[in-house]
Amino acid sequence: MLDEIMFEAEEKMDKAIEVAKEDFAGIRTGRATAGMFTKLLVDYYGAPTPMQQLASFTASEARTMLITPFDKGSMHNIEKAIRDSDLGVNPSNDGNSIRCVFPELTQERRKEYIKMAHRKGEEAKVAIRNIRRHAKDAIDKLVKDGDVGEDDGARHEKELDALTRRQTDLVDTLLKGKEAELLEV
């Protein structure tokens, strides 16, 4: 029982880390990356569809992203999704592909993105702590009901605390890397 709780907690914490990585990838830096478009949904024949499923992405230059839709009929909707997003670009359409040229980031905008990254990092840490709390409650319940001994419960709680510390440290490391990337000119 205790091992199942620990395994489930570790699995959920790993998922929280993956979400944080996706969130960090979506924050715009000085370079154009396909990860910036992962959260964008396009109205594709009435259904909200992730942009990754509708087009291929090519970074032709550091600040230019070339988006080639698989279905030319979806080009207008892809353009609209990019324009309505918070990426701050105005896409241009040449009939076959969409070109997005990202402007140079100002120092003020970089600071805003760093704040956004810190907020996303804190959200990931909160998610990890909530997973820890749920696992600790489950361990406490097993000890209280007499299903496992107090020593086993205490040992697993220490393991859970160590796991939580490792995961939150990993979020901090990811955040520092993103911050350095944002400050890079």
Side-chain angles (χ1 to χ4, degrees), residues 2-3 6 139 143 148-162:
L2 290 173
D3 290 335
M6 292 298 293
I139 291 171
V143 170
V148 295
E150 287 184 24
D151 290 345
D152 280 344
R155 184 171 42 83
H156 277 80
E157 279 186 30
K158 284 182 182 177
E159 286 178 27
L160 184 63
D161 289 343

Side-chain angles (χ1 to χ4, degrees), residues 97-185:
S97 58
I98 299 167
R99 184 176 309 275
C100 295
V101 179
F102 291 88
E104 197 67 45
L105 286 178
T106 63
Q107 195 63 27
E108 182 180 308
R109 193 75 172 135
R110 288 177 195 273
K111 288 179 183 175
E112 287 178 29
Y113 283 138
I114 289 171
K115 284 181 187 175
M116 185 187 305
H118 280 278
R119 194 169 55 248
K120 302 269 186 198
E122 196 54 43
E123 287 171 6
K125 287 185 201 177
V126 167
I128 290 168
R129 289 183 199 120
N130 284 338
I131 294 165
R132 178 203 171 279
R133 185 172 36 88
H134 287 298
K136 184 180 179 315
D137 289 347
I139 291 171
D140 289 346
K141 185 178 184 320
L142 288 175
V143 170
K144 182 181 173 196
D145 293 345
D147 295 336
V148 295
E150 287 184 24
D151 290 345
D152 280 344
R155 184 171 42 83
H156 277 80
E157 279 186 30
K158 284 182 182 177
E159 286 178 27
L160 184 63
D161 289 343
L163 174 66
T164 304
R165 199 171 315 105
R166 277 195 314 272
Q167 299 287 34
T168 54
D169 289 347
L170 180 57
V171 170
D172 285 336
T173 303
L174 292 170
L175 181 60
K176 283 184 179 126
K178 187 62 177 185
E179 193 171 337
E181 189 180 330
L182 283 165
L183 290 173
E184 185 181 300
V185 179

Side-chain angles (χ1 to χ4, degrees), residues 38-70:
T38 55
K39 300 278 185 189
L40 293 184
L41 296 176
V42 177
D43 181 33
Y44 186 64
Y45 295 107
T49 308
M51 194 177 293
Q52 289 347 49
Q53 296 178 9
L54 298 176
S56 65
F57 298 86
T58 309
S60 56
E61 297 171 15
R63 294 182 311 142
T64 305
M65 182 62 67
L66 193 64
I67 303 165
T68 309
F70 303 129

